[in-house]
Amino acid sequence: MNVRKLLSLFAFLATVFALVAVPSPSAQAAPVDDWNYSANTGATYVKALGSTVSSDLTAATAISGGPARTSSNSTAAANVTGLLSVGAAETKTWATKSGGNIEINSWARVAGVNLLNGLIKIDAVESTVTTTGKPDGTSSAVGNHKLLGIKILGVNLPVDIPKNYSVNIPGVAAISLNATFHAGTSELAGTRSWAVAVQLLKPRDGFNAGTVIIASPVNHYLQEAVPAANAPRLGGFAYSSRIQAKVGTQISVVSDPTAYTGTPFNGSNGTTLRNSTATVSLPGIATLGTLTSTSTSSRDSTTGNADITNTNKTVGLNLLGGLIKADAIEVTASAKLVDGKWTQSMKMTTVNLVIAGNAIPVNVSPNTSIDVAGLGKVELNKQGVDAGKKINRIDGLRITLNTAQAGLPVGAVIEFAIAATQMTTA
């Protein structure tokens, strides 16, 4: 494979993931008393040039801290027409730490991977990536992506794909397989890993050259923790949909959060973090169009002031065969901490929301509840505040079934357009 093209692919991946530069591994490491970290794992990622289609991490899990954390997610399927389709996907991201020792882990399993309309097919991908930070300020990473039943049209592949392996489909795409890269010092260290990364070499099916498709993307970051006694710990999230069902004493997650984004504990320094997904299908239950979640936050370690704004916009909602439809539902949850005083606000707007044939006002009142015969309780603009814990949350649309629907039992909860914030002070 052309080395210049491969380097271009890696550079482009850094750009589309909006990753900060990782310091040279040759820089001198310094002892570390404690680490901060940020990590995410996904099933797929698409940056499509020359098209309005873009799909951030699907089946995403993300953690940051601070303390040890775990995040899990499962999704039925993902599809971007002409570029990729995958079946069931699961991811998990977790961190364990003790003082200056930390270990960040990512795991993913993705079934039925089909890229570029069948030019690349994989029966299943299973990924494990671990980044380790030590008290002496050094760090390292180990990654492995099993590509079961992989076939690339016109390319002879080894039975076991070596690490950092690359091939070409001549005149079509540059392909990187089973890749893991790590660099940095205690100031900032990073790991980037993926099972498959594909970059188009020329336009195809309406997508420009340079379009990137990734299966099982993983990003880990480590940074020495600098005490900030006056600054609050930030939190919160936004997502488009989630479905939970309870059978007996067990809660089963039918669909984990889609288009999820979280607020870093130390803020985003005013930068807007974004997760945008082209389409989502929850078979038999709902179809959704473009989903976009954002999180913008900052905190001042000197004054202790902080602010968070989390948003979600869910477009093209069609639930249970049209029983509930909306062109768009948009929610915002905001909070500020100024001179020790916490304030918050929430709002929701809708476009052409119709429930059981009844049009709902654009600015529906907070905590509106409707009982729909043959469906259950429908809550709109559901707002909750816990001033003592500095938490607020808005649910644009929340449905609790009193009748079994589409394989879901009575009591199942279906959520759409969610945003929340949290500030924790000493």
Side-chain angles (χ1 to χ4, degrees), residues 236-239 261 263 272 292-296 307-314 329-336 343-350 363 366 381-385 391-397 416-422:
F237 51 81
Y239 59 86
T261 190
T263 303
T272 297
T292 304
S293 299
T294 69
S295 180
T296 309
D307 63 87
I308 308 170
T309 298
N310 290 340
T311 74
N312 173 264
K313 185 174 183 179
T314 297
I329 300 176
E330 188 167 4
V331 296
T332 301
S334 298
K336 291 184 179 181
T343 58
Q344 65 82 33
S345 64
M346 292 175 281
K347 67 177 181 179
M348 167 182 163
T349 59
T350 67
N363 295 305
N381 197 7
K382 180 179 174 64
Q383 299 186 9
V385 178
I391 297 173
N392 69 350
R393 171 173 167 149
I394 180 170
D395 293 32
L397 174 62
F416 296 101
I418 311 296
T421 75
Q422 180 176 10

Side-chain angles (χ1 to χ4, degrees), residues 62-154:
I63 57 173
S64 63
R69 296 180 186 273
T70 300
S71 176
S72 300
N73 198 333
S74 60
T75 297
N79 180 71
V80 177
T81 302
L83 293 180
L84 76 83
S85 66
V86 301
E90 300 175 80
T91 69
K92 182 178 180 180
T93 310
W94 70 101
T96 57
K97 62 183 300 188
S98 176
N101 293 288
I102 185 169
E103 187 174 278
I104 306 172
N105 295 277
S106 288
W107 173 88
R109 179 185 291 131
V110 186
V113 179
N114 185 316
L115 307 180
L116 302 180
N117 285 327
L119 291 186
I120 303 169
K121 291 184 178 181
I122 310 170
D123 294 338
V125 173
E126 185 161 332
S127 303
T128 56
V129 180
T130 299
T131 299
T132 303
K134 299 178 181 179
D136 62 4
T138 62
S139 59
S140 59
V142 176
N144 186 50
H145 302 269
K146 296 179 181 178
L147 302 164
L148 305 178
I150 182 171
K151 295 181 178 64
I152 300 178
L153 187 66

Side-chain angles (χ1 to χ4, degrees), residues 319-339:
L319 175 65
L320 298 174
L323 187 59
I324 298 177
K325 297 187 293 183
D327 290 344
I329 300 176
E330 188 167 4
V331 296
T332 301
S334 298
K336 291 184 179 181
L337 187 66
V338 180
D339 298 332

Side-chain angles (χ1 to χ4, degrees), residues 173-357:
I175 304 166
S176 170
L177 304 173
N178 191 16
T180 301
F181 300 92
H182 177 84
T185 70
S186 58
E187 293 181 0
L188 178 65
T191 301
R192 299 167 191 165
S193 189
W194 54 84
V196 183
V198 178
Q199 185 180 38
L200 295 185
L201 299 178
K202 65 181 183 180
R204 178 183 174 86
D205 295 331
F207 300 100
N208 285 356
T211 290
V212 170
I213 312 157
I214 304 170
S216 293
V218 172
N219 300 288
H220 293 171
Y221 288 100
L222 288 173
Q223 189 173 35
E224 181 181 8
V226 178
N230 294 325
R233 182 179 294 272
L234 307 186
F237 51 81
Y239 59 86
S240 280
S241 67
R242 184 174 69 168
I243 302 174
Q244 288 185 310
K246 187 174 183 180
V247 181
T249 59
Q250 301 298 313
I251 294 178
S252 172
V253 178
V254 179
S255 172
D256 277 312
T258 57
Y260 178 93
T261 190
T263 303
F265 84 97
N266 58 348
S268 65
N269 198 30
T271 299
T272 297
L273 309 178
R274 184 182 305 271
N275 189 333
S276 180
T277 299
T279 57
V280 168
S281 177
L282 307 172
I285 302 171
T287 58
L288 308 173
T290 302
L291 318 176
T292 304
S293 299
T294 69
S295 180
T296 309
S297 56
S298 63
R299 67 174 190 170
D300 189 316
S301 60
T302 302
T303 65
N305 294 341
D307 63 87
I308 308 170
T309 298
N310 290 340
T311 74
N312 173 264
K313 185 174 183 179
T314 297
V315 173
L317 168 66
N318 188 316
L319 175 65
L320 298 174
L323 187 59
I324 298 177
K325 297 187 293 183
D327 290 344
I329 300 176
E330 188 167 4
V331 296
T332 301
S334 298
K336 291 184 179 181
L337 187 66
V338 180
D339 298 332
K341 182 180 179 180
W342 180 76
T343 58
Q344 65 82 33
S345 64
M346 292 175 281
K347 67 177 181 179
M348 167 182 163
T349 59
T350 67
V351 179
N352 296 329
L353 174 59
V354 177
I355 299 177

